[in-house]
Amino acid sequence: MELTGAEITIRCLQEEGVEYVFGYPGGAVLFIYDELFKQEAVKHVLVRHEQAAVHAADGYARSTEKVGVALVTSGPGVTNAVTGIATAYMDSIPMVVISGQVPTSFIGEDAFQEVDAVGITRPCVKHNFLVKDVKDLASTLKKAFYLAKSGRPGPVLVDIPKDVSNHKTAFEYPSTVNIRSYHPQVTGDANLIKQAAQMLLEAKRPMVYAGGGVILSDAAKQLTELVRLIDAPCTNTLMGLGGYPASDKQSVGMLGMHGTYEANMGMQNCDVLFAVGARFDDRVIGNVAHFNSVPRKIIHLDIDPASISKRVKVDVPLVGDVANVLTDLIKVLKSSKQKPEARKDWWKQIDEWRSANSLSYKNSIELIKPQFVIETLHKITHGDAFITSDVGQHQMWAAQYYKFDKPRRWINSGGLGTMGFGLPAAMGVQLAHPGETVACVTGEGSIQMNIQELSTCKQFNLPIKVIALNNRYLGMVRQWQEFFHGNRYSQSYMDALPDFVKLAEAYGHVGILVEKPSDVEGALKEAFARKDELVFLDFRTDSTENVYPMVPGGKGLSEVILAEDL
Amino acid sequence: MRHIISLLMANEAGALSRVSGLFSARGYNIESLTVAPTEDATLSRMTIVTRGSDEVIEQINKQLNKLVDVVSVMDLSDGDHIERELMLVKVHAEGADREELKRMSDIFRGNVIDVSDKTYTIELTGAGSKLDSFLQAIDRKLILETVRTGASGIGRGLRILKI
Ligand SMILES: Cc1cc2nc3c(=O)[nH]c(=O)nc-3n(C[C@H](O)[C@H](O)[C@H](O)COP(=O)(O)OP(=O)(O)OC[C@H]3O[C@@H](n4cnc5c(N)ncnc54)[C@H](O)[C@@H]3O)c2cc1C
Ligand SMILES: Cc1ncc(C[n+]2csc(CCOP(=O)(O)OP(=O)(O)O)c2C)c(N)n1
Ligand SMILES: [Mg+2]
């Protein structure tokens, strides 16, 4: 029996076990929407803006081990999706985006709602396809899912012209994929693993620096075992939080621009650095020359050879999947007769740095401190919620003060830093985990970039808790202006803010205004007690609070500004 | 350092733009880029001449390998290789110049492939530097038009780029 391209598209999604498609209809995808209508296995979530569809698919993917799926129409549908696609690309999130295209015979004629989707998205996808013949559709979608989730994951776009979705062909979903030019390396080189093991055993001041690759590889268990085995301090990047339990004594917290003093000093002063699924980002190691000015050996484990020796030269490159390579490495370490060096002096040094208490802050009885809100949030949710975030100061406070013990609980845009990510991402997370607690930590600036999604939340009964740290400023911008631009707060004040409580109510949700520190805990309790409702908490926080510690851009990791320096 | 990189890639629509897009997006330099199908019609072979520090060249190789359409990459400059470029030069060839230009073409083992009463078109192949020398050796005023293909390269002996 022959099926149309639209039927094939839906059948492929079913074959892939896709539970939710996040999307928005339009002319070029009408045949596909018609097929969606006729079945129930693949559920469609109608967002209010295509950017949100992609972020929601992204949040769904980050909080599960699955590929997120978004569906958008041609032209403005796909251009609206680009920010979402670039966000997923920068953080290596597995995703398939299906876009409609004008009919093949119209391509290149400046047809209505025609854009070169493949051209526009090329720099921000792992790969993309334009399907010109319905006969190629099933195999292309199969490849798209395979590419999205294998190797270093990433978004894949499949552009389907309207006529292709209406043409018929015999349907068969391929059971395997073979792309002759694509063979990600997942197992590590045995000799290099031995070399790494030896280096770790002999290290006097070892440090484990773990990133998003640990989360993507679902390797938190292996990482934890390794860190304990070699008795090293472990730091996590913003993308790696939860990959190692933050409450463990070997954890030194997040590193980088807003990392803890002990993490950054440990990075700078260790003699053997083991980077695991992390990419030496500029927000992480600061000034490269300063970082390189002290000798240390570096072992770098990453599935993408291009991540290795990109910004910092490494001594032992381990190309492979984190879970896989760590399992092998642990075996080698366990079978070795040699025991790790005694690390008493190193731990003494780490504890000394720790005692600087770089995350301490002065609480207030008059003004709500944002850090206090996050600490209370942690307490009320028993540290066990899924937390999504937008971008800015509130993001850093959430990362610093919500101590993540489990992977895939912290969902944020690290690489692109996309304001507007938090709320739609939370929708994807909540749909993937019905019944679980999901909170979106946001700012009054960021939330307004996708606030229309409150409507989607109503339609799909998503009881997300929106924790708005409302400081009346584009706080992160204001902080940089205070530090580096002579307190000239150019366009960083948020005037004419809406009444968020009324706004939440207008969308059919509950809104709570919190203005006093003494009301913080009560408000949070009340919000989380409303299990079936979305609650928007508008916390009026101290508008002048800054994020500390801070390693200013271009500075070295030890050239840090601490709160008490000022 | 100047490097000459050869690669095989799937002969898919848009494959070329993935490579050229990579170079512009990452700020890598391209001196020349040539591409054409191979004896296996599903594959194209590309030769790219670029410049960069060792670190940059290492990244270029890795980033090229990472493109899903790219089947294999070889930095020809890592070993013995041969490099050839084709150039067509149209020159003003009248009077005494006519004889002199023919002589120069012969010295450089060029061929005159088109003749009119006022012009010659000379075909030359060789390494880029040889083509440069030819252009320097003739009177600049006589050059009407030049077109060069950019370098193509191949490894010597058993250095083979194939799948
Ligand atoms: C306002 C703001 C402030 C920030 N401040 C900080 C900060 O203070 N500290 C900080 O850390 N970040 C900070 N960031 C985030 C920063 O920009 C980067 O996004 C982040 O540091 C990158 O994390 P990562 O190195 O873990 O890499 P990721 O982007 O998570 O990359 C993962 C790496 O793992 C590899 N990988 C993927 N899958 C596997 C696998 N299965 N096996 C092996 N390897 C795999 C990938 O190839 C890649 O190299 C900030 C961002 C914003 C927006
Ligand atoms: C789409 C987008 N535009 C601009 C920026 C630059 N930017 C980074 S943080 C920030 C301020 C965010 O303000 P708010 O959401 O109120 O958070 P706060 O820093 O005050 O906690 C801005 C404008 C960005 N990251 N994303
Ligand atoms: Mg703000």
Coordinates of all heavy atoms in Angstrom, one line a residue, chain A residues 389-423:
Chain A
S389 N 15.6 27.3 33.8 CA 16.0 28.7 34.0 C 16.1 29.5 32.8 O 16.2 29.0 31.7 CB 17.3 28.7 34.8 OG 18.0 29.9 34.5
D390 N 15.9 30.8 32.9 CA 16.2 31.7 31.8 C 17.6 32.2 31.9 O 18.4 31.4 32.5 CB 15.2 32.9 31.9 CG 13.9 32.6 31.1 OD1 14.2 32.4 29.9 OD2 12.8 32.6 31.6
V391 N 17.9 33.4 31.4 CA 19.3 33.8 31.4 C 19.5 35.1 32.1 O 18.8 36.1 31.8 CB 19.8 33.8 29.9 CG1 21.2 34.5 29.8 CG2 19.8 32.4 29.3
G392 N 20.5 35.1 32.9 CA 20.8 36.4 33.7 C 21.3 36.0 35.1 O 21.8 34.9 35.3
Q393 N 21.2 37.0 35.9 CA 21.7 36.8 37.3 C 20.9 35.6 38.0 O 21.5 34.8 38.7 CB 21.5 38.1 38.1 CG 22.4 39.2 37.7 CD 22.1 40.4 38.6 OE1 21.0 40.8 38.9 NE2 23.2 41.0 39.1
H394 N 19.6 35.6 37.8 CA 18.8 34.6 38.4 C 19.3 33.2 38.0 O 19.2 32.3 38.8 CB 17.3 34.8 38.0 CG 17.1 34.7 36.6 ND1 17.2 35.7 35.7 CD2 16.8 33.6 35.8 CE1 17.0 35.3 34.5 NE2 16.7 34.0 34.5
Q395 N 19.8 33.1 36.8 CA 20.3 31.8 36.3 C 21.5 31.3 37.1 O 21.6 30.2 37.6 CB 20.6 31.9 34.8 CG 21.3 30.7 34.2 CD 21.8 31.0 32.8 OE1 22.0 32.2 32.4 NE2 21.9 30.0 31.9
M396 N 22.4 32.3 37.4 CA 23.6 32.0 38.1 C 23.2 31.7 39.6 O 23.8 30.7 40.2 CB 24.5 33.2 38.1 CG 25.1 33.5 36.7 SD 26.1 32.0 36.1 CE 25.0 31.4 34.8
W397 N 22.3 32.4 40.2 CA 21.9 32.1 41.5 C 21.3 30.7 41.6 O 21.5 30.0 42.6 CB 21.0 33.2 42.1 CG 21.7 34.5 42.4 CD1 23.0 34.6 43.0 CD2 21.3 35.8 42.0 NE1 23.3 35.9 43.1 CE2 22.4 36.7 42.5 CE3 20.2 36.4 41.4 CZ2 22.3 38.1 42.3 CZ3 20.2 37.7 41.2 CH2 21.2 38.6 41.7
A398 N 20.5 30.4 40.7 CA 19.8 29.1 40.7 C 20.9 28.0 40.6 O 20.9 27.0 41.3 CB 18.8 28.9 39.5
A399 N 21.9 28.2 39.7 CA 23.0 27.3 39.6 C 23.8 27.1 40.8 O 24.3 26.0 41.2 CB 23.9 27.7 38.4
Q400 N 24.0 28.3 41.5 CA 24.9 28.3 42.7 C 24.2 27.7 43.9 O 24.9 27.1 44.8 CB 25.4 29.7 43.0 CG 26.4 30.2 41.9 CD 26.7 31.7 42.2 OE1 25.8 32.5 42.7 NE2 27.9 32.1 41.8
Y401 N 23.0 28.1 44.1 CA 22.3 27.8 45.4 C 21.3 26.6 45.4 O 20.9 26.2 46.5 CB 21.6 29.1 45.9 CG 22.7 30.1 46.3 CD1 23.0 31.1 45.3 CD2 23.3 30.2 47.5 CE1 23.9 32.1 45.6 CE2 24.3 31.1 47.8 CZ 24.6 32.1 46.8 OH 25.5 33.0 47.1
Y402 N 21.0 26.1 44.2 CA 20.1 24.9 44.2 C 21.1 23.8 44.0 O 21.5 23.5 42.9 CB 19.1 25.0 43.1 CG 17.9 24.0 43.4 CD1 16.7 24.4 43.9 CD2 18.1 22.6 43.0 CE1 15.7 23.5 44.2 CE2 17.0 21.8 43.3 CZ 15.8 22.2 43.9 OH 14.8 21.3 44.1
K403 N 21.4 23.1 45.1 CA 22.5 22.1 45.0 C 21.9 20.9 44.3 O 21.2 20.1 44.9 CB 23.0 21.7 46.4 CG 23.4 22.9 47.2 CD 24.8 23.5 46.7 CE 25.2 24.7 47.6 NZ 26.3 25.5 47.0
F404 N 22.3 20.7 43.0 CA 21.8 19.6 42.3 C 22.5 18.3 42.6 O 23.7 18.2 42.4 CB 21.8 19.9 40.8 CG 20.9 20.9 40.3 CD1 21.3 22.3 40.3 CD2 19.6 20.7 40.0 CE1 20.5 23.3 40.0 CE2 18.7 21.7 39.7 CZ 19.2 23.0 39.7
D405 N 21.8 17.3 43.0 CA 22.4 16.0 43.3 C 22.2 15.0 42.2 O 22.8 13.9 42.2 CB 21.8 15.4 44.6 CG 22.5 16.1 45.8 OD1 23.6 16.7 45.6 OD2 21.9 16.0 46.9
K406 N 21.2 15.3 41.3 CA 20.9 14.3 40.3 C 21.0 14.9 38.9 O 20.8 16.1 38.7 CB 19.5 13.8 40.4 CG 19.2 13.0 41.7 CD 17.8 12.6 41.6 CE 17.3 12.0 43.0 NZ 15.9 12.0 43.1
P407 N 21.4 14.1 37.9 CA 21.5 14.6 36.5 C 20.1 14.9 35.9 O 19.1 14.4 36.4 CB 22.2 13.5 35.8 CG 21.9 12.3 36.5 CD 21.8 12.7 38.0
R408 N 20.1 15.7 34.9 CA 18.9 16.0 34.1 C 17.8 16.8 34.9 O 16.7 16.8 34.5 CB 18.3 14.8 33.4 CG 19.2 14.1 32.4 CD 18.5 13.1 31.6 NE 19.4 12.4 30.7 CZ 19.8 12.8 29.5 NH1 19.3 14.0 29.1 NH2 20.6 12.2 28.7
R409 N 18.2 17.4 36.0 CA 17.3 18.1 36.8 C 17.5 19.6 36.6 O 16.6 20.4 36.9 CB 17.5 17.9 38.3 CG 17.3 16.4 38.7 CD 15.8 16.3 39.0 NE 15.4 14.9 38.9 CZ 14.5 14.4 39.6 NH1 13.8 15.1 40.5 NH2 14.1 13.1 39.5
W410 N 18.6 20.0 36.1 CA 18.9 21.4 35.9 C 18.9 21.7 34.3 O 19.7 21.1 33.6 CB 20.3 21.7 36.5 CG 20.9 23.0 36.1 CD1 22.2 23.2 35.5 CD2 20.4 24.3 36.3 NE1 22.4 24.5 35.3 CE2 21.4 25.2 35.8 CE3 19.3 24.8 36.8 CZ2 21.2 26.6 35.8 CZ3 19.1 26.2 36.9 CH2 20.0 27.1 36.4
I411 N 18.0 22.5 33.9 CA 17.7 22.6 32.5 C 17.9 24.1 32.1 O 17.1 24.9 32.5 CB 16.3 22.2 32.1 CG1 15.9 20.9 32.8 CG2 16.0 22.3 30.6 CD1 16.4 19.7 32.2
N412 N 19.0 24.4 31.5 CA 19.3 25.9 31.1 C 20.0 26.0 29.9 O 20.7 25.1 29.4 CB 19.9 26.6 32.3 CG 21.4 26.4 32.3 OD1 22.2 27.4 32.6 ND2 21.9 25.2 32.1
S413 N 20.0 27.2 29.3 CA 20.7 27.5 28.1 C 22.1 28.1 28.4 O 22.2 29.2 28.8 CB 19.9 28.5 27.2 OG 20.7 29.1 26.2
G414 N 23.1 27.3 28.3 CA 24.4 27.7 28.7 C 25.2 28.3 27.5 O 25.8 29.4 27.7
G415 N 25.3 27.6 26.4 CA 26.1 28.0 25.3 C 25.6 29.3 24.6 O 26.4 30.2 24.3
L416 N 24.3 29.3 24.3 CA 23.8 30.4 23.6 C 23.3 31.5 24.6 O 23.3 32.7 24.3 CB 22.7 30.0 22.6 CG 22.3 31.0 21.5 CD1 23.5 31.2 20.5 CD2 21.1 30.7 20.8
G417 N 22.9 31.1 25.8 CA 22.4 32.0 26.8 C 21.1 32.7 26.3 O 21.1 33.9 26.2
T418 N 20.1 31.9 26.0 CA 18.9 32.4 25.4 C 17.9 32.8 26.4 O 17.2 32.0 27.0 CB 18.3 31.3 24.4 OG1 19.3 30.8 23.6 CG2 17.2 31.9 23.6
M419 N 17.7 34.1 26.5 CA 16.5 34.6 27.4 C 15.3 34.1 26.7 O 15.2 34.1 25.5 CB 16.5 36.1 27.4 CG 17.6 36.8 28.3 SD 17.7 38.6 28.0 CE 16.1 39.0 28.9
G420 N 14.3 33.7 27.5 CA 13.1 33.2 26.9 C 13.0 31.7 26.8 O 12.0 31.1 26.4
F421 N 14.1 31.0 27.3 CA 14.2 29.6 27.2 C 13.4 28.9 28.4 O 12.8 27.9 28.2 CB 15.7 29.2 27.4 CG 15.9 27.7 27.4 CD1 16.0 26.9 26.3 CD2 16.2 27.1 28.7 CE1 16.2 25.6 26.4 CE2 16.4 25.7 28.8 CZ 16.4 25.0 27.6
G422 N 13.4 29.5 29.5 CA 12.9 28.9 30.7 C 11.5 28.3 30.7 O 11.3 27.1 31.0
L423 N 10.5 29.2 30.4 CA 9.1 28.7 30.5 C 8.8 27.6 29.5 O 8.3 26.6 29.9 CB 8.2 29.9 30.4 CG 6.7 29.6 30.5 CD1 6.4 28.9 31.8 CD2 5.9 30.9 30.3

